[in-house]
Coordinates of all heavy atoms in Angstrom, one line a residue:
M1 N 79.3 84.7 -0.4 CA 78.8 83.4 -0.3 C 77.5 83.4 0.6 O 77.6 83.9 1.7 CB 79.9 82.5 0.4 CG 79.5 81.1 0.6 SD 80.8 80.1 1.5 CE 82.2 80.5 0.6
T2 N 76.4 83.0 0.1 CA 75.2 83.0 0.9 C 74.4 81.7 0.9 O 73.3 81.7 1.2 CB 74.3 84.1 0.3 OG1 74.0 83.8 -1.0 CG2 74.9 85.5 0.5
Q3 N 75.1 80.6 0.6 CA 74.4 79.3 0.6 C 74.0 78.9 2.0 O 74.8 78.8 2.9 CB 75.4 78.3 0.0 CG 74.7 76.9 -0.2 CD 75.7 76.0 -1.0 OE1 76.7 76.4 -1.6 NE2 75.4 74.7 -0.9
E4 N 72.7 78.8 2.2 CA 72.2 78.7 3.6 C 72.7 77.5 4.3 O 72.9 77.5 5.5 CB 70.6 78.7 3.5 CG 70.1 80.0 3.2 CD 68.5 80.0 3.2 OE1 68.0 79.2 4.0 OE2 67.9 80.8 2.6
D5 N 72.9 76.3 3.7 CA 73.3 75.1 4.4 C 74.7 75.2 4.9 O 75.1 74.5 5.8 CB 73.1 73.9 3.5 CG 74.0 73.9 2.3 OD1 74.3 75.0 1.8 OD2 74.3 72.8 1.8
L6 N 75.5 76.2 4.5 CA 76.8 76.4 5.0 C 76.8 77.1 6.4 O 77.8 77.2 7.1 CB 77.7 77.2 4.0 CG 78.0 76.5 2.7 CD1 78.8 77.4 1.8 CD2 78.7 75.2 2.9
F7 N 75.6 77.7 6.7 CA 75.6 78.5 7.9 C 74.7 77.9 9.0 O 74.5 78.4 10.1 CB 75.0 79.9 7.6 CG 75.9 80.7 6.7 CD1 75.7 80.7 5.3 CD2 76.9 81.4 7.2 CE1 76.6 81.4 4.5 CE2 77.8 82.1 6.4 CZ 77.6 82.1 5.0
T8 N 74.2 76.7 8.8 CA 73.2 76.1 9.8 C 73.9 75.7 11.1 O 73.2 75.9 12.1 CB 72.6 74.8 9.2 OG1 73.6 73.9 8.8 CG2 71.7 75.1 8.0
E9 N 75.1 75.3 11.1 CA 75.8 74.9 12.4 C 76.7 76.0 12.9 O 77.5 75.8 13.8 CB 76.6 73.7 12.2 CG 75.8 72.5 11.8 CD 74.8 72.0 12.9 OE1 75.2 72.1 14.0 OE2 73.7 71.5 12.5
S10 N 76.6 77.2 12.3 CA 77.6 78.2 12.7 C 77.0 79.4 13.4 O 75.8 79.6 13.3 CB 78.2 78.8 11.3 OG 79.0 79.8 11.6
Q11 N 77.8 80.1 14.1 CA 77.4 81.3 14.8 C 77.4 82.5 13.8 O 77.0 83.6 14.1 CB 78.3 81.6 16.0 CG 78.2 80.6 17.1 CD 79.1 80.8 18.2 OE1 79.8 81.9 18.3 NE2 79.3 79.9 19.1
V12 N 78.0 82.3 12.7 CA 78.1 83.3 11.6 C 76.8 83.4 10.9 O 76.2 82.5 10.5 CB 79.2 82.9 10.6 CG1 79.3 84.0 9.5 CG2 80.5 82.7 11.3
R13 N 76.3 84.6 10.8 CA 75.1 84.9 10.1 C 75.3 85.9 9.0 O 76.1 86.8 9.2 CB 74.0 85.4 11.1 CG 73.6 84.4 12.1 CD 72.8 83.3 11.5 NE 72.5 82.3 12.5 CZ 72.9 81.1 12.5 NH1 73.7 80.6 11.5 NH2 72.6 80.2 13.4
G14 N 74.6 85.8 7.9 CA 74.8 86.7 6.8 C 75.6 86.2 5.7 O 75.5 85.0 5.4
A15 N 76.4 87.0 5.1 CA 77.2 86.6 3.9 C 78.7 86.8 4.2 O 79.1 87.6 5.0 CB 76.8 87.5 2.7
I16 N 79.5 85.9 3.6 CA 80.9 86.0 3.8 C 81.5 86.6 2.5 O 81.2 86.1 1.4 CB 81.5 84.6 4.0 CG1 81.0 84.1 5.4 CG2 83.1 84.7 4.0 CD1 81.5 82.7 5.7
E17 N 82.2 87.6 2.5 CA 82.8 88.3 1.4 C 84.2 87.8 1.2 O 85.0 88.1 2.1 CB 82.7 89.8 1.5 CG 83.2 90.5 0.3 CD 82.4 90.2 -1.0 OE1 81.2 90.4 -1.0 OE2 83.0 89.8 -2.0
L18 N 84.6 87.1 0.2 CA 85.9 86.6 0.0 C 86.7 87.4 -1.0 O 87.8 87.0 -1.4 CB 85.9 85.1 -0.4 CG 85.2 84.2 0.6 CD1 85.1 82.8 0.0 CD2 85.9 84.2 1.9
S19 N 86.2 88.5 -1.4 CA 86.9 89.4 -2.3 C 88.1 90.1 -1.6 O 87.9 90.8 -0.6 CB 86.0 90.4 -2.9 OG 86.7 91.3 -3.7
P20 N 89.3 89.9 -2.1 CA 90.5 90.6 -1.4 C 90.2 92.1 -1.4 O 89.8 92.7 -2.3 CB 91.6 90.3 -2.3 CG 91.2 89.1 -3.1 CD 89.7 89.2 -3.2
V21 N 90.6 92.7 -0.3 CA 90.5 94.2 0.0 C 89.1 94.7 -0.2 O 89.0 95.9 -0.4 CB 91.6 95.0 -0.8 CG1 93.0 94.6 -0.4 CG2 91.4 95.0 -2.3
W22 N 88.1 93.9 -0.1 CA 86.7 94.5 -0.3 C 86.5 95.6 0.7 O 85.9 96.6 0.4 CB 85.7 93.3 -0.1 CG 84.3 93.8 -0.1 CD1 83.6 94.0 -1.3 CD2 83.5 94.1 1.0 NE1 82.3 94.5 -0.9 CE2 82.2 94.5 0.5 CE3 83.6 94.1 2.3 CZ2 81.2 94.9 1.3 CZ3 82.6 94.4 3.1 CH2 81.4 94.9 2.6
Y23 N 86.9 95.4 2.0 CA 86.6 96.4 3.0 C 87.3 97.7 2.7 O 86.8 98.7 3.0 CB 87.0 95.8 4.4 CG 86.9 96.8 5.5 CD1 85.6 97.1 6.0 CD2 88.0 97.5 6.0 CE1 85.5 98.0 7.0 CE2 87.8 98.4 7.0 CZ 86.6 98.7 7.5 OH 86.4 99.6 8.5
Q24 N 88.5 97.6 2.1 CA 89.3 98.8 1.9 C 88.9 99.5 0.7 O 89.4 100.7 0.5 CB 90.8 98.4 1.8 CG 91.4 98.0 3.1 CD 91.2 96.6 3.5 OE1 90.6 95.8 2.8 NE2 91.6 96.2 4.7
Q25 N 88.1 99.0 -0.2 CA 87.7 99.7 -1.4 C 87.0 101.0 -1.0 O 86.2 101.1 -0.1 CB 86.8 98.9 -2.3 CG 87.5 97.7 -2.9 CD 86.5 96.9 -3.7 OE1 85.3 97.1 -3.8 NE2 87.1 95.8 -4.3
G26 N 87.4 102.1 -1.7 CA 86.8 103.4 -1.5 C 87.5 104.1 -0.4 O 87.1 105.3 -0.1
Q27 N 88.4 103.6 0.3 CA 89.1 104.3 1.4 C 90.3 105.1 0.7 O 90.9 104.7 -0.2 CB 89.7 103.3 2.4 CG 88.7 102.4 3.0 CD 87.7 103.1 4.0 OE1 88.1 104.1 4.6 NE2 86.5 102.7 4.0
V28 N 90.6 106.2 1.3 CA 91.7 107.0 0.9 C 93.0 106.3 1.4 O 93.2 106.1 2.5 CB 91.6 108.4 1.4 CG1 92.8 109.2 1.0 CG2 90.3 109.1 1.0
P29 N 93.8 105.8 0.4 CA 95.0 105.0 0.8 C 95.9 105.6 1.9 O 96.3 104.9 2.8 CB 95.7 104.7 -0.5 CG 94.7 104.9 -1.5 CD 93.7 105.9 -1.0
Y30 N 96.2 106.8 1.8 CA 97.1 107.4 2.7 C 96.6 107.6 4.1 O 97.3 107.8 5.1 CB 97.7 108.7 2.2 CG 96.7 109.8 2.1 CD1 96.5 110.7 3.1 CD2 96.0 110.0 0.9 CE1 95.6 111.7 3.0 CE2 95.1 111.0 0.7 CZ 94.9 111.9 1.8 OH 94.0 112.9 1.6
R31 N 95.3 107.5 4.3 CA 94.7 107.6 5.6 C 94.2 106.3 6.2 O 93.9 106.2 7.4 CB 93.5 108.5 5.6 CG 93.8 109.9 5.3 CD 92.5 110.7 5.4 NE 92.8 112.1 5.0 CZ 91.9 113.0 4.8 NH1 90.6 112.7 4.9 NH2 92.2 114.2 4.5
H32 N 94.2 105.3 5.4 CA 93.6 104.0 5.8 C 94.7 103.0 6.2 O 95.6 102.8 5.5 CB 92.7 103.4 4.7 CG 92.1 102.1 5.1 ND1 91.0 102.1 6.0 CD2 92.3 100.8 4.8 CE1 90.7 100.8 6.2 NE2 91.4 100.1 5.5
Q33 N 94.5 102.3 7.3 CA 95.4 101.2 7.8 C 94.6 99.9 7.6 O 93.5 99.8 8.0 CB 95.7 101.4 9.2 CG 96.6 102.6 9.5 CD 98.0 102.4 8.9 OE1 98.6 101.3 8.9 NE2 98.5 103.5 8.4
P34 N 95.2 99.0 6.9 CA 94.6 97.7 6.7 C 94.2 97.1 8.1 O 94.9 97.2 9.1 CB 95.6 96.8 6.0 CG 96.5 97.8 5.4 CD 96.5 99.0 6.2
K35 N 93.1 96.4 8.1 CA 92.6 95.8 9.4 C 92.2 94.3 9.2 O 91.9 93.9 8.1 CB 91.4 96.5 9.9 CG 91.6 98.0 10.2 CD 90.3 98.6 10.7 CE 90.6 100.1 11.0 NZ 89.4 100.8 11.3
V36 N 92.4 93.6 10.2 CA 92.0 92.2 10.2 C 90.4 92.1 10.3 O 89.8 92.8 11.0 CB 92.6 91.4 11.4 CG1 92.1 90.0 11.5 CG2 94.1 91.5 11.3
S37 N 89.9 91.2 9.5 CA 88.4 91.0 9.5 C 88.0 90.7 11.0 O 88.7 89.9 11.7 CB 88.1 89.8 8.6 OG 86.7 89.6 8.7
T38 N 86.9 91.2 11.4 CA 86.4 91.0 12.7 C 86.3 89.5 13.1 O 86.5 89.1 14.2 CB 85.0 91.6 12.9 OG1 85.1 93.0 12.6 CG2 84.4 91.5 14.3
I39 N 85.9 88.7 12.2 CA 85.7 87.2 12.4 C 87.0 86.5 12.8 O 87.0 85.5 13.4 CB 85.0 86.5 11.3 CG1 84.3 85.3 11.7 CG2 85.9 86.3 10.1 CD1 83.4 84.7 10.8
L40 N 88.2 87.2 12.5 CA 89.5 86.6 12.8 C 90.1 87.3 14.0 O 91.2 86.8 14.4 CB 90.4 86.7 11.6 CG 90.0 85.8 10.4 CD1 90.8 86.2 9.2 CD2 90.1 84.3 10.7
K41 N 89.6 88.3 14.5 CA 90.2 89.0 15.6 C 90.1 88.2 16.9 O 89.2 87.5 17.1 CB 89.5 90.4 15.8 CG 89.8 91.4 14.8 CD 89.3 92.7 15.1 CE 89.8 93.7 14.1 NZ 89.7 95.1 14.5
G42 N 91.2 88.4 17.7 CA 91.3 87.6 18.9 C 90.1 87.7 19.8 O 89.6 86.7 20.4
S43 N 89.5 88.9 19.9 CA 88.4 89.1 20.9 C 87.1 88.4 20.3 O 86.2 88.1 21.1 CB 88.1 90.5 21.1 OG 87.8 91.2 19.9
H44 N 87.0 88.2 19.0 CA 85.8 87.6 18.5 C 86.1 86.3 17.7 O 85.2 85.8 17.0 CB 85.1 88.5 17.5 CG 84.8 89.8 18.0 ND1 84.1 90.0 19.2 CD2 85.0 91.1 17.5 CE1 83.9 91.3 19.4 NE2 84.5 92.0 18.4
A45 N 87.3 85.8 17.9 CA 87.7 84.6 17.1 C 86.8 83.4 17.2 O 86.4 83.0 18.3 CB 89.2 84.3 17.4
H46 N 86.5 82.9 16.1 CA 85.8 81.6 16.0 C 86.7 80.6 15.3 O 87.4 81.0 14.3 CB 84.5 81.9 15.1 CG 83.6 80.7 15.1 ND1 83.7 79.7 14.2 CD2 82.5 80.4 15.9 CE1 82.8 78.8 14.4 NE2 82.0 79.2 15.5
P47 N 86.8 79.4 15.7 CA 87.8 78.4 15.2 C 87.6 78.1 13.7 O 88.6 77.8 13.0 CB 87.6 77.2 16.1 CG 86.3 77.3 16.7 CD 86.0 78.8 16.8
G48 N 86.4 78.2 13.2 CA 86.1 77.8 11.8 C 86.9 78.6 10.8 O 87.6 78.1 10.0
P49 N 86.9 80.0 10.9 CA 87.6 80.8 9.9 C 89.1 80.6 10.0 O 89.9 80.6 9.0 CB 87.2 82.2 10.3 CG 85.9 82.1 10.9 CD 85.9 80.8 11.6
W50 N 89.6 80.4 11.3 CA 91.1 80.1 11.4 C 91.5 78.8 10.8 O 92.5 78.7 10.2 CB 91.5 80.1 12.9 CG 91.8 81.5 13.4 CD1 91.0 82.4 14.1 CD2 93.0 82.2 13.2 NE1 91.6 83.5 14.3 CE2 92.8 83.5 13.8 CE3 94.2 82.0 12.5 CZ2 93.8 84.5 13.8 CZ3 95.2 82.9 12.5 CH2 95.0 84.1 13.1
K51 N 90.6 77.8 11.0 CA 90.9 76.5 10.4 C 90.9 76.6 8.8 O 91.8 76.0 8.2 CB 89.9 75.5 10.8 CG 90.1 75.0 12.2 CD 89.0 74.0 12.6 CE 89.1 73.7 14.1 NZ 88.0 72.7 14.5
W52 N 90.0 77.4 8.3 CA 89.9 77.6 6.9 C 91.2 78.3 6.4 O 91.7 77.9 5.3 CB 88.6 78.4 6.5 CG 88.5 78.7 5.1 CD1 88.0 77.9 4.1 CD2 88.9 79.9 4.4 NE1 88.1 78.6 2.9 CE2 88.6 79.8 3.1 CE3 89.5 81.1 4.9 CZ2 88.9 80.8 2.2 CZ3 89.8 82.1 4.0 CH2 89.5 82.0 2.6
L53 N 91.6 79.3 7.1 CA 92.8 80.0 6.7 C 94.0 79.1 6.7 O 94.8 79.1 5.8 CB 93.0 81.2 7.7 CG 94.1 82.2 7.3 CD1 93.7 82.9 6.0 CD2 94.2 83.2 8.4
Q54 N 94.1 78.4 7.8 CA 95.3 77.5 7.9 C 95.3 76.3 6.9 O 96.3 75.9 6.4 CB 95.4 76.9 9.4 CG 95.7 78.0 10.3 CD 95.5 77.6 11.8 OE1 94.7 76.7 12.1 NE2 96.1 78.4 12.7
A55 N 94.1 75.9 6.5 CA 93.9 74.8 5.5 C 94.4 75.3 4.1 O 94.7 74.4 3.3 CB 92.5 74.3 5.4
G56 N 94.5 76.5 3.9 CA 94.9 77.1 2.6 C 96.4 77.3 2.5 O 96.8 77.8 1.4
V57 N 97.1 77.0 3.5 CA 98.6 77.3 3.5 C 99.3 76.6 2.3 O 100.1 77.3 1.6 CB 99.2 76.9 4.9 CG1 100.7 77.0 4.8 CG2 98.7 77.8 6.0
L58 N 99.0 75.4 2.1 CA 99.7 74.6 1.0 C 99.4 75.3 -0.3 O 100.2 75.5 -1.2 CB 99.4 73.2 1.0 CG 100.0 72.3 -0.1 CD1 101.5 72.4 -0.1 CD2 99.5 70.9 0.0
Q59 N 98.1 75.5 -0.6 CA 97.6 76.1 -1.8 C 98.2 77.4 -2.0 O 98.7 77.8 -3.1 CB 96.1 76.2 -1.9 CG 95.4 74.8 -2.0 CD 95.2 74.2 -0.6 OE1 95.7 74.6 0.4 NE2 94.5 73.1 -0.6
N60 N 98.3 78.3 -1.0 CA 98.8 79.6 -1.1 C 100.3 79.5 -1.4 O 100.9 80.4 -2.1 CB 98.5 80.4 0.1 CG 97.1 80.9 0.2 OD1 96.4 81.0 -0.8 ND2 96.6 81.0 1.4
S61 N 101.0 78.6 -0.8 CA 102.4 78.4 -1.0 C 102.7 78.0 -2.5 O 103.7 78.5 -3.1 CB 103.0 77.3 -0.1 OG 102.9 77.7 1.2
I62 N 101.9 77.1 -3.0 CA 102.0 76.7 -4.4 C 101.8 77.9 -5.3 O 102.6 78.1 -6.3 CB 101.1 75.5 -4.7 CG1 101.6 74.3 -4.0 CG2 101.0 75.3 -6.2 CD1 100.6 73.1 -4.0
L63 N 100.7 78.7 -5.1 CA 100.5 79.8 -5.9 C 101.6 80.9 -5.8 O 102.0 81.5 -6.8 CB 99.1 80.5 -5.5 CG 97.9 79.7 -5.8 CD1 96.7 80.3 -5.2 CD2 97.7 79.7 -7.3
S64 N 102.1 81.0 -4.6 CA 103.2 82.0 -4.4 C 104.5 81.5 -5.2 O 105.1 82.4 -5.8 CB 103.5 82.1 -2.9 OG 104.4 83.1 -2.7
A65 N 104.8 80.3 -5.1 CA 105.9 79.7 -5.8 C 105.7 79.9 -7.3 O 106.7 80.2 -8.1 CB 106.2 78.3 -5.5
T66 N 104.5 79.6 -7.8 CA 104.2 79.8 -9.2 C 104.4 81.2 -9.7 O 105.0 81.5 -10.7 CB 102.8 79.3 -9.5 OG1 102.6 78.0 -9.1 CG2 102.4 79.4 -11.0
L67 N 103.9 82.1 -8.8 CA 104.0 83.6 -9.1 C 105.5 84.0 -9.2 O 105.9 84.8 -10.0 CB 103.2 84.4 -8.1 CG 103.2 85.9 -8.4 CD1 102.5 86.2 -9.7 CD2 102.5 86.6 -7.2
M68 N 106.3 83.4 -8.2 CA 107.7 83.7 -8.2 C 108.4 83.4 -9.5 O 109.3 84.1 -10.0 CB 108.3 83.0 -7.0 CG 109.8 83.4 -6.8 SD 110.5 82.7 -5.2 CE 110.4 81.0 -5.6
V69 N 108.0 82.2 -10.1 CA 108.6 81.8 -11.3 C 108.0 82.6 -12.5 O 108.8 83.0 -13.4 CB 108.4 80.3 -11.5 CG1 108.8 79.8 -12.9 CG2 109.1 79.5 -10.5
M70 N 106.7 82.7 -12.6 CA 106.1 83.3 -13.7 C 106.2 84.9 -13.8 O 106.2 85.4 -14.9 CB 104.6 82.9 -13.8 CG 104.4 81.4 -14.0 SD 102.8 80.8 -13.9 CE 101.9 81.8 -15.0
H71 N 106.2 85.5 -12.6 CA 106.2 87.0 -12.6 C 107.0 87.4 -11.3 O 106.4 87.8 -10.3 CB 104.8 87.5 -12.5 CG 104.7 88.9 -13.0 ND1 105.5 89.9 -12.5 CD2 103.9 89.5 -13.9 CE1 105.1 91.1 -13.1 NE2 104.1 90.8 -14.0
P72 N 108.3 87.3 -11.4 CA 109.1 87.6 -10.2 C 109.0 89.0 -9.6 O 109.0 89.2 -8.4 CB 110.6 87.3 -10.6 CG 110.5 87.1 -12.1 CD 109.1 86.9 -12.5
D73 N 108.7 90.0 -10.5 CA 108.6 91.3 -10.0 C 107.3 91.5 -9.2 O 107.3 92.1 -8.1 CB 108.6 92.3 -11.2 CG 109.9 92.4 -11.9 OD1 110.9 92.0 -11.3 OD2 109.9 92.9 -13.0
L74 N 106.2 90.9 -9.6 CA 105.0 90.9 -8.9 C 105.1 90.2 -7.6 O 104.6 90.7 -6.5 CB 103.8 90.4 -9.7 CG 102.4 90.5 -9.2 CD1 102.1 92.0 -8.9 CD2 101.4 89.9 -10.2
Y75 N 105.7 89.0 -7.6 CA 106.0 88.3 -6.4 C 106.8 89.1 -5.4 O 106.4 89.2 -4.2 CB 106.7 87.0 -6.7 CG 107.2 86.3 -5.4 CD1 106.4 85.5 -4.7 CD2 108.6 86.5 -5.0 CE1 106.8 84.9 -3.5 CE2 109.0 85.8 -3.9 CZ 108.2 85.1 -3.1 OH 108.6 84.5 -2.0
A76 N 107.9 89.7 -5.9 CA 108.7 90.5 -5.0 C 108.0 91.7 -4.4 O 108.1 92.1 -3.2 CB 110.0 91.0 -5.8
S77 N 107.1 92.3 -5.2 CA 106.3 93.4 -4.7 C 105.3 93.0 -3.6 O 105.2 93.7 -2.6 CB 105.5 94.1 -5.9 OG 104.8 95.1 -5.5
G78 N 104.7 91.9 -3.8 CA 103.8 91.4 -2.8 C 104.5 91.0 -1.5 O 104.0 91.3 -0.4
R79 N 105.6 90.3 -1.7 CA 106.4 89.9 -0.5 C 106.9 91.2 0.3 O 106.8 91.2 1.5 CB 107.6 89.1 -0.9 CG 108.4 88.6 0.2 CD 109.5 87.6 -0.3 NE 110.2 87.0 0.8 CZ 111.2 87.5 1.5 NH1 111.6 88.7 1.2 NH2 111.8 86.9 2.5
E80 N 107.3 92.2 -0.4 CA 107.8 93.4 0.2 C 106.6 94.1 0.9 O 106.8 94.6 2.0 CB 108.4 94.3 -0.9 CG 108.9 95.6 -0.3 CD 109.4 96.6 -1.4 OE1 109.7 96.1 -2.5 OE2 109.5 97.8 -1.1
T81 N 105.5 94.0 0.4 CA 104.3 94.6 1.0 C 104.0 93.9 2.3 O 103.8 94.6 3.4 CB 103.1 94.6 0.1 OG1 103.4 95.3 -1.1 CG2 101.8 95.1 0.7
F82 N 104.0 92.6 2.3 CA 103.8 91.9 3.6 C 104.8 92.1 4.6 O 104.5 92.3 5.8 CB 103.7 90.4 3.3 CG 102.3 89.9 3.0 CD1 102.0 89.5 1.7 CD2 101.3 89.9 3.9 CE1 100.7 89.0 1.4 CE2 100.0 89.5 3.6 CZ 99.7 89.0 2.3
L83 N 106.1 92.2 4.2 CA 107.2 92.5 5.1 C 107.0 93.9 5.8 O 107.2 94.1 7.0 CB 108.5 92.3 4.5 CG 108.9 90.9 4.1 CD1 110.2 90.9 3.3 CD2 109.0 90.0 5.3
K84 N 106.7 94.9 4.9 CA 106.5 96.2 5.4 C 105.3 96.3 6.4 O 105.4 96.9 7.4 CB 106.3 97.2 4.3 CG 107.5 97.6 3.6 CD 107.3 98.6 2.5 CE 108.6 99.0 1.8 NZ 108.3 100.0 0.7
L85 N 104.2 95.6 6.0 CA 103.1 95.6 6.9 C 103.4 94.9 8.2 O 103.0 95.4 9.3 CB 101.9 94.9 6.2 CG 100.6 94.9 6.9 CD1 100.1 96.3 7.1 CD2 99.6 94.1 6.0
A86 N 104.1 93.8 8.2 CA 104.5 93.1 9.4 C 105.3 94.0 10.3 O 105.2 93.9 11.5 CB 105.2 91.8 9.1
S87 N 106.2 94.7 9.7 CA 107.2 95.5 10.5 C 106.6 96.9 11.0 O 107.1 97.5 11.9 CB 108.5 95.8 9.8 OG 108.3 96.6 8.7
S88 N 105.5 97.3 10.3 CA 105.0 98.7 10.7 C 103.8 98.7 11.6 O 103.5 99.7 12.1 CB 104.7 99.4 9.4 OG 103.6 98.8 8.7
T89 N 103.1 97.6 11.7 CA 101.9 97.6 12.4 C 102.1 97.3 13.9 O 103.0 96.5 14.3 CB 100.9 96.5 11.9 OG1 99.7 96.7 12.6 CG2 101.4 95.1 12.1
Q90 N 101.3 98.0 14.7 CA 101.3 97.7 16.2 C 100.1 96.9 16.6 O 99.9 96.6 17.7 CB 101.3 99.0 16.9 CG 102.6 99.9 16.7 CD 103.8 99.2 17.1 OE1 103.9 98.6 18.1 NE2 104.8 99.2 16.2
D91 N 99.2 96.6 15.6 CA 98.0 95.9 15.8 C 98.3 94.4 16.1 O 98.8 93.7 15.2 CB 97.1 96.1 14.6 CG 95.7 95.4 14.7 OD1 95.5 94.6 15.6 OD2 94.9 95.8 13.9
E92 N 97.9 94.0 17.3 CA 98.2 92.6 17.7 C 97.5 91.6 16.8 O 98.1 90.5 16.4 CB 97.8 92.3 19.1 CG 98.7 93.0 20.1 CD 98.3 92.8 21.5 OE1 97.6 91.7 21.8 OE2 98.6 93.6 22.4
D93 N 96.3 91.9 16.4 CA 95.5 91.0 15.5 C 96.2 90.8 14.1 O 96.3 89.8 13.6 CB 94.1 91.5 15.3 CG 93.2 91.4 16.5 OD1 93.3 90.3 17.2 OD2 92.5 92.3 16.9
M94 N 96.7 92.0 13.6 CA 97.4 91.9 12.3 C 98.7 91.2 12.5 O 99.1 90.4 11.6 CB 97.7 93.4 11.9 CG 98.3 93.4 10.5 SD 97.3 92.9 9.1 CE 96.2 94.3 9.0
Q95 N 99.4 91.3 13.6 CA 100.7 90.6 13.8 C 100.4 89.1 13.9 O 101.3 88.3 13.5 CB 101.4 91.1 15.1 CG 102.0 92.5 14.9 CD 102.5 93.0 16.2 OE1 102.3 92.5 17.3 NE2 103.2 94.2 16.1
Q96 N 99.3 88.7 14.3 CA 99.0 87.2 14.4 C 98.6 86.7 13.1 O 98.9 85.5 12.7 CB 97.8 87.0 15.4 CG 98.2 87.1 16.8 CD 97.1 86.8 17.8 OE1 95.9 86.9 17.4 NE2 97.4 86.5 19.0
I97 N 97.9 87.5 12.2 CA 97.3 87.0 11.0 C 98.3 87.0 9.9 O 98.3 86.1 9.0 CB 96.0 87.8 10.6 CG1 95.2 87.0 9.6 CG2 96.4 89.1 10.0 CD1 94.3 86.1 10.3
I98 N 99.3 87.9 9.8 CA 100.2 88.0 8.7 C 101.0 86.7 8.5 O 101.1 86.3 7.4 CB 101.2 89.2 8.9 CG1 100.4 90.5 8.6 CG2 102.4 89.1 8.0 CD1 101.2 91.7 8.9
P99 N 101.5 86.0 9.5 CA 102.3 84.8 9.3 C 101.4 83.7 8.6 O 101.9 82.9 7.9 CB 102.7 84.3 10.6 CG 102.7 85.6 11.4 CD 101.6 86.4 10.9
E100 N 100.1 83.7 8.9 CA 99.2 82.7 8.3 C 99.1 83.0 6.8 O 99.0 82.1 6.0 CB 97.8 82.8 8.9 CG 97.8 82.4 10.3 CD 98.2 81.0 10.6 OE1 98.0 80.1 9.8 OE2 98.8 80.8 11.7

């Protein structure tokens, strides 16, 4: 996303990449640990991205419920991945972001 008028009142400069796992692409899976985007990390947190993330809770819940009905195996796999990630990480930023 590079629409200039979206960045006029923000401290964020550049482009926002909304593609899932964009950062992780090209990483060797067994050596790479998922990380929270810098803009959401506690030390650099800006309220705008957190508000955006929290505003999508209802939509994500609806999509999740739809996936559970339409493709229960895929839903179960995704849920299991989040549960494993939540229980295996020691990263405080990741522990804060997973419930969102």
Side-chain angles (χ1 to χ4, degrees):
M1 179 183 313
T2 57
Q3 189 173 341
E4 289 184 25
D5 62 333
L6 297 177
F7 296 95
T8 57
E9 299 292 325
S10 175
Q11 296 175 9
V12 178
R13 296 290 177 242
I16 296 176
E17 183 62 55
L18 300 177
S19 176
V21 299
W22 176 81
Y23 177 77
Q24 287 82 5
Q25 289 179 359
Q27 303 290 326
V28 179
Y30 66 90
R31 290 185 185 170
H32 182 72
Q33 292 294 320
K35 297 179 183 176
V36 174
S37 176
T38 301
I39 201 166
L40 294 170
K41 287 190 175 196
S43 60
H44 303 313
H46 187 273
W50 273 101
K51 288 179 185 177
W52 177 83
L53 187 64
Q54 292 166 341
V57 169
L58 177 61
Q59 292 85 350
N60 287 331
S61 297
I62 292 169
L63 288 172
S64 187
T66 303
L67 185 62
M68 185 172 64
V69 170
M70 294 171 57
H71 201 310
D73 293 339
L74 187 56
Y75 169 81
S77 179
R79 185 174 186 277
E80 182 181 341
T81 300
F82 272 110
L83 292 174
K84 283 183 179 178
L85 186 58
S87 67
S88 68
T89 187
Q90 299 300 315
D91 184 342
E92 289 180 24
D93 292 315
M94 184 67 76
Q95 289 174 350
Q96 286 181 341
I97 201 87
I98 287 175
E100 295 299 328

